[in-house]
Amino acid sequence: MPLSRDSAMNTANVLSAALPYLQRFVGKTIVVKYGGNAMTDETLKNSFARDMVMLKFVGINPIVVHGGGPQIGDLLTKLNIQSEFVNGMRVTTSETMDVVEMVLGGLVNKSIVNLINQNGGKAIGLTGKDGQLLHARKLHVTKSSPDMLKTEIIDIGHVGEVASINTSVLDMLTNSDFIPVIAPIGVGEDGESYNINADLVAGKVAEVLRAEKLILLTNIAGLMDKEGKVLTGLSTKQVDDLIADGTIYGGMLPKIQCALDAVHAGVNSAHIIDGRVAHSTLLELFTDEGVGTLITNRRNA
């Protein structure tokens, strides 16, 4: 059944409005952290995969970094392994790390690769062990409170942070028309595996590649002010002010700090976007309105 004249004109207007963005971003690298509802809802999973395929098709180089915390938790529960968290980070024993590798490097990673491939793309799944992609060092967590005489250092096991990234692996794949899909598992100098926060991995990948954009998919509409309105078009200084006055707090702080670090390191912009919206990546990239919060390093007037 042919489109009505109004529908056809609307489609043409949408495509025409996207043209300047397509021209601006062709040949550029965009790093996307994939997680939350976008990773569990079937409709959103397919829209995300199609977004990645389209970006590659029009000459943009997407790199996907994914999480998988809920999936890890589910398997640990089935195996009767108790989950413990310190400062929001999973305590990762050797036994737990085996499960993390099975879930992130296997089940979740390959399902994303398969989804992109089924939608016409060419995806390759990686962990930090492949081509020594992610070099990790052990993350030391400190705990302090007013009633403690001194700061306590807590060992949370196989939890790491990014020490360095082998960009040649990613360059080879993107230049060969593949979409890299990265599980956030790093390898230390001792050969041990380390579970790394996916936001941090995405941010560091964006930094070392000097990506055009870092996009972090979330389960909220974006950064909000104290009245609940979504904030966008923010400078890094404005974000610092929002942290200082308590507008940004709690669990959002690490994600925002990751975005700030990336922009300060040379990434053109960082985006906190609503992954609950179908095709949210395309909407953020190719429309004036977007679907989240944009952070740049521009100076205030």
Side-chain angles (χ1 to χ4, degrees):
M1 182 176 177
L3 291 174
S4 68
R5 182 180 176 84
D6 287 345
S7 295
M9 286 300 297
N10 182 60
T11 300
N13 287 335
V14 169
L15 293 172
S16 177
L19 181 59
Y21 298 101
L22 290 168
Q23 292 171 322
R24 186 189 312 171
F25 301 142
V26 67
K28 301 294 178 64
T29 295
I30 293 175
V31 179
V32 184
K33 187 280 178 136
Y34 176 51
N37 278 39
M39 201 171 174
T40 55
D41 179 274
E42 288 302 318
T43 299
L44 295 176
K45 285 163 64 175
N46 277 289
S47 76
F48 173 81
R50 290 177 68 85
D51 286 359
M52 296 303 103
V53 174
M54 180 176 172
L55 291 180
K56 193 68 179 179
F57 184 76
V58 298
I60 298 168
N61 295 318
I63 294 175
V64 178
V65 179
H66 66 83
Q71 293 90 334
I72 293 169
D74 288 345
L75 184 53
L76 288 172
T77 298
K78 290 177 182 177
L79 295 173
N80 293 318
I81 301 174
Q82 188 171 356
S83 293
E84 181 183 353
F85 293 86
V86 174
N87 294 349
M89 288 175 284
R90 187 186 302 276
V91 176
T92 307
T93 63
S94 295
E95 185 180 33
T96 302
M97 190 66 223
D98 288 342
V99 174
V100 169
E101 288 204 77
M102 284 190 290
V103 173
L104 292 185
L107 179 65
V108 174
N109 187 270
K110 300 315 173 190
S111 68
I112 298 168
V113 167
N114 184 56
L115 201 58
I116 292 173
N117 291 345
Q118 289 296 313
N119 278 277
K122 294 195 298 183
I124 294 287
L126 303 164
T127 73
K129 291 183 172 181
D130 294 305
Q132 296 186 321
L133 174 62
L134 298 177
H135 295 267
R137 56 176 168 259
K138 187 179 179 67
L139 180 66
H140 296 283
V141 177
T142 59
K143 182 179 180 181
S144 61
S145 64
D147 58 338
M148 293 175 64
L149 296 177
K150 62 179 181 178
T151 299
E152 180 183 358
I153 298 176
I154 302 174
D155 186 346
I156 57 173
H158 292 256
V159 178
E161 57 186 348
V162 177
S164 64
I165 296 173
N166 181 4
T167 58
S168 64
V169 177
L170 300 176
D171 290 338
M172 177 187 68
L173 291 174
T174 55
N175 292 331
S176 301
D177 206 30
F178 287 100
I179 300 173
V181 178
I182 303 170
I185 298 168
V187 59
E189 290 185 0
D190 52 5
E192 295 280 354
S193 299
Y194 288 93
N195 185 16
I196 310 176
N197 178 277
D199 289 333
L200 296 180
V201 172
K204 291 300 182 184
V205 169
E207 287 179 29
V208 297
L209 293 177
R210 290 298 180 97
E212 176 71 16
K213 293 179 180 294
L214 167 66
I215 296 178
L216 304 174
L217 294 178
T218 67
N219 283 341
I220 60 173
L223 273 181
M224 299 183 186
D225 63 18
K226 292 181 178 178
E227 284 70 50
K229 295 180 180 177
V230 176
L231 299 166
T232 191
L234 299 175
S235 68
T236 53
K237 183 182 183 306
Q238 287 174 311
V239 176
D240 287 336
D241 292 341
L242 291 169
I243 294 172
D245 71 14
T247 301
I248 303 171
Y249 65 95
M252 183 57 72
L253 278 172
K255 193 177 295 288
I256 294 302
Q257 192 58 56
C258 163
L260 286 175
D261 289 346
V263 172
H264 282 310
V267 176
N268 190 50
S269 61
H271 305 248
I272 313 292
I273 70 171
D274 194 344
R276 301 168 301 177
V277 176
H279 300 293
S280 55
T281 303
L282 296 186
L283 290 170
E284 182 66 16
L285 290 176
F286 300 141
T287 66
D288 292 334
E289 295 80 10
V291 287
T293 299
L294 165 70
I295 301 171
T296 67
N297 209 19
R298 64 177 173 78
R299 297 182 180 276
N300 288 333

